[in-house]
Amino acid sequence: MRTAELTQGAVESRDGTSIGYWKAGQGPAVVVLHGSMESARSHTLLAEALAGDFTVYLPDRRGRGLSGPHRPGHTVRTEVEDLEAVLNAAGADCAFGVSAGGAVVLEAARTLRGLQKVALYEPAIVDNPTPHREWLLRFDREVAEGNLAGAMVTSMYGLQLAPAFLKVVPRRLMTRITEKMLVKDERQAGPDAITMRKLAPTIHYEGALIAELAGTFEAFRDVSADVLLMGGSKGLAALKPWRDTLEKVLPHCRRVEFDGLDHGGSSDPGGINPSGSAEAVGRVADELKSFFKRS
């Protein structure tokens, strides 16, 4: 992949919060919205792969990197407004979203005018909000107690991220392992790096977002944009059935399932995505290039 120069920019969302972004490339604009436990820089390789054909905007969602904090009353609508501000600044009618970011992009396609093409990688839209509201209560309590590692374990189980073999590991041991992982990540990170410990509190808003959009599949029949719905054969099993549902309700949908890719297929390897690879990013980028190209 070529190396593209990344430059910084920022826009103001509707409530006055600054939403910062990185920008690279030339050509029609595409906005890339990252997922949970990620930041804008988590898709640097993808931006480099697309930069020869598109101007790629990588916004930091709230609470991360270049962007301002979450405010009271934060909802999915707030996330859509943040994305709208970047879309307007970029003059973009194309967007790509990953996991929770994919859910935001799809809701934006339903509620905003102007989006013509949206690509989604394992969007975090499910059928039932109740389990997420339940684990969020414990997550918030553990964060308030300063037990960030324990809160991350709670979210891992709540979001069904844990491989089957880890479900038999005692929670206390999982918490110790997670704390060691956080310490190692901080030790290896640069002084301004967005570490896993810094990102962990944002999981609250991801869980709330998933709960808010849960069971809203029928509403997406109103999406007029062309949709590229992607996932990996080794992705999150809890999300795959709901891609099947989305494929049925979206009026203009093309489905791609990548053999061998997991939930982090589009993201840079390392940190929270140890199984990622440049080859996986390249496969996703090729599909995006084909989908977003102008006729």
Side-chain angles (χ1 to χ4, degrees), residues 104-128:
V104 174
V105 167
L106 186 55
E107 179 67 2
R110 186 183 73 84
T111 57
L112 300 179
R113 295 181 179 180
L115 274 172
Q116 300 297 314
K117 294 186 176 185
V118 297
L120 315 168
Y121 192 92
E122 301 208 348
I125 298 177
V126 299
D127 66 328
N128 185 3

Side-chain angles (χ1 to χ4, degrees), residues 8-21:
Q8 290 185 27
V11 293
E12 191 172 283
S13 191
R14 189 167 300 186
D15 67 358
T17 299
S18 179
I19 304 299
Y21 59 81

